[in-house]
Amino acid sequence: MYADVFEFNGIKSSDLGYYIVAFDGFSNDGVGMAGNDISFATSKTANSYQWNFHGSKYENQLTTSFQIGKFNCGIRKDKNYELSQQDCAFLLRWLVRTDGYKFLRFFQGGYEGYENTFFRVQNKLQWIRFGGAIVGAQIDVTCDAPFGYSDVQTFEVSCDNGGSFTIYNDSDKTGVLYFDETNILMTSDARNLQINNNLDGIYSPTIRYTTQINNCKNGEHITIANHMIATNKNTVHTRENINNDFNFKYPRLINMSDLIETRKNIYTVTGGSCRLSFNYRTIRSVLP
């Protein structure tokens, strides 16, 4: 992948005059990532010439490095590309975070590429010097996973007296992902509100996986996000007792294979009426 502009934590580098460049003495053959370091768990029985497969796992997160410099794409008369102390301080505040992973994406000068793939990352900076002056920086990136993510997708639906709806999982990898945020606006009372996914029984055949919240009231707004549940408009639930009425089976999206039917998550709502809103990102594989 060849890119000249990046965006980190919602700020596009070109808006600040920073571009991906290559400095002499630093290797920067594009922005390369790999997420294919997979190990197999195997065993071999006595007197056998074959190893049995028991599972697999990713060993490493995605990593990459690239260099940036600050310059005007037009004619710059002073030819001075040195970074000031204020420039360096800003880059550290912007790119080196202490408040968790942030999203990074790349742009390829008008060509379609990775602009729709987001990486959740942490960064380290190395200053690039020439003649005693700082002229750029190398950004060493470590992702939170061996893959990237789609842009935020939103699905909204109204379920009057229960009902069913379908969400298609367009992830590039099989498995399960949890919604970043599920918002439930109750439009009736519900002693036992349940949300069931038809693929849960196939993905987890030995357990009954159904999201259930008890004692919901008409008008109540319940949010499930970051493996937490809260209610901010209620007649019964408080911050404490909402946890007592939730079974901690978080709504999830499943992809079983490349077949369309095993990517279609059919949800059934029972026990009451509500409006649902799901926010989520699906998985994107990365090519070098």
Side-chain angles (χ1 to χ4, degrees):
M1 173 178 63
Y2 292 89
D4 51 13
V5 173
F6 68 98
E7 179 187 271
F8 180 71
N9 199 27
I11 300 176
K12 198 171 183 179
S13 64
S14 56
D15 292 340
L16 305 173
Y18 289 96
Y19 294 85
I20 299 173
V21 296
F23 290 93
D24 289 341
F26 286 81
S27 174
N28 189 26
D29 186 20
V31 180
M33 290 182 166
N36 55 6
D37 188 5
I38 301 172
S39 64
F40 280 11
T42 61
S43 66
K44 186 174 78 71
T45 58
N47 302 320
S48 173
Y49 294 99
Q50 292 181 321
W51 275 258
N52 300 312
F53 173 76
H54 301 294
S56 63
K57 64 178 180 178
Y58 288 94
E59 292 292 346
N60 297 302
Q61 307 125 292
L62 288 175
T63 60
T64 191
S65 296
F66 60 97
Q67 291 85 49
I68 63 170
K70 185 177 184 180
F71 61 93
N72 190 330
C73 287
I75 298 174
R76 183 165 177 170
K77 296 180 180 179
D78 58 12
K79 302 295 184 182
N80 181 13
Y81 304 112
E82 178 180 341
L83 298 185
S84 67
Q85 181 179 359
Q86 290 77 14
D87 291 331
C88 294
F90 171 76
L91 287 176
L92 286 172
R93 290 195 307 272
W94 174 33
L95 299 173
V96 182
R97 313 292 299 208
T98 60
D99 55 347
Y101 290 98
K102 304 297 178 183
F103 282 106
L104 168 73
R105 62 172 170 163
F106 297 98
F107 297 86
Q108 296 182 276
Y111 297 96
E112 290 187 5
Y114 279 100
E115 62 271 13
N116 294 319
T117 300
F118 294 75
F119 305 94
R120 191 181 282 118
V121 308
Q122 60 171 323
N123 302 319
K124 295 182 180 179
L125 255 63
Q126 300 181 60
W127 300 120
I128 298 174
R129 300 177 184 272
F130 179 78
I134 297 176
V135 296
Q138 175 164 303
I139 304 174
D140 299 317
V141 177
T142 302
C143 301
D144 75 331
F147 44 74
Y149 305 90
S150 72
D151 201 351
V152 175
Q153 303 183 51
T154 300
F155 184 92
E156 297 179 346
V157 64
S158 292
C159 297
D160 296 326
N161 297 315
S164 298
F165 56 93
T166 300
I167 302 179
Y168 181 80
N169 187 342
D170 64 0
S171 289
D172 291 338
K173 296 185 182 297
T174 58
V176 63
L177 61 87
Y178 294 90
F179 293 102
D180 294 326
E181 185 173 281
T182 301
N183 284 289
I184 306 170
L185 177 61
M186 296 303 304
T187 54
S188 75
D189 292 349
R191 183 176 180 182
N192 303 111
L193 181 73
Q194 294 187 344
I195 305 173
N196 181 69
N197 183 346
N198 72 308
L199 292 182
D200 276 318
I202 302 173
Y203 185 80
S204 304
T206 61
I207 63 172
R208 183 176 183 271
Y209 197 100
T210 298
T211 300
Q212 180 170 315
I213 308 173
N214 299 331
N215 301 316
C216 301
K217 292 297 181 180
N218 187 12
E220 186 172 11
H221 183 188
I222 300 169
T223 299
I224 304 173
N226 298 319
H227 281 71
M228 296 180 64
I229 185 169
T231 179
N232 58 10
K233 183 179 181 182
N234 65 84
T235 56
V236 173
H237 286 130
T238 64
R239 180 174 296 180
E240 291 75 20
N241 65 24
I242 186 68
N243 293 306
N244 297 329
D245 282 337
F246 179 51
N247 67 348
F248 292 94
K249 296 292 192 299
Y250 298 91
R252 57 187 189 176
L253 193 61
I254 296 171
N255 173 16
M256 297 294 294
S257 72
D258 291 332
L259 299 176
I260 293 178
E261 292 304 315
T262 54
R263 288 173 173 262
K264 291 169 62 177
N265 293 246
I266 302 174
Y267 297 88
T268 302
V269 177
T270 58
S273 299
C274 61
R275 297 173 187 169
L276 295 170
S277 175
F278 301 92
N279 296 326
Y280 60 99
R281 295 176 187 263
T282 50
I283 294 171
R284 294 289 177 263
S285 296
V286 180
L287 299 176

